[in-house]
Amino acid sequence: MHLSYLLRVHNSAMGGGLGLAVEVNEPFRLKRAMEAMRYFGLAELAELMADLIEHDWTVTTPSPGTTI
């Protein structure tokens, strides 16, 4: 079961990035995928995903003339 949740989120991320994976997968699927990441020894990846969800990660475009 762990592998199926992990692969669903992985495939979404590979198709459109981690932001898309967070956007298109239901919260319960993301939670299960994070549990699977920890199960497979990917705790840091699980924490990254948790941070993205918690902080409502969005990509913004800088205003013209703004230096990055």
Side-chain angles (χ1 to χ4, degrees), residues 8-10 12-13 20-30:
R8 180 177 174 101
V9 173
H10 172 267
S12 301
L20 177 70
V22 170
E23 182 180 327
V24 300
N25 285 287
E26 297 89 348
F28 82 92
R29 292 186 194 278
L30 295 173

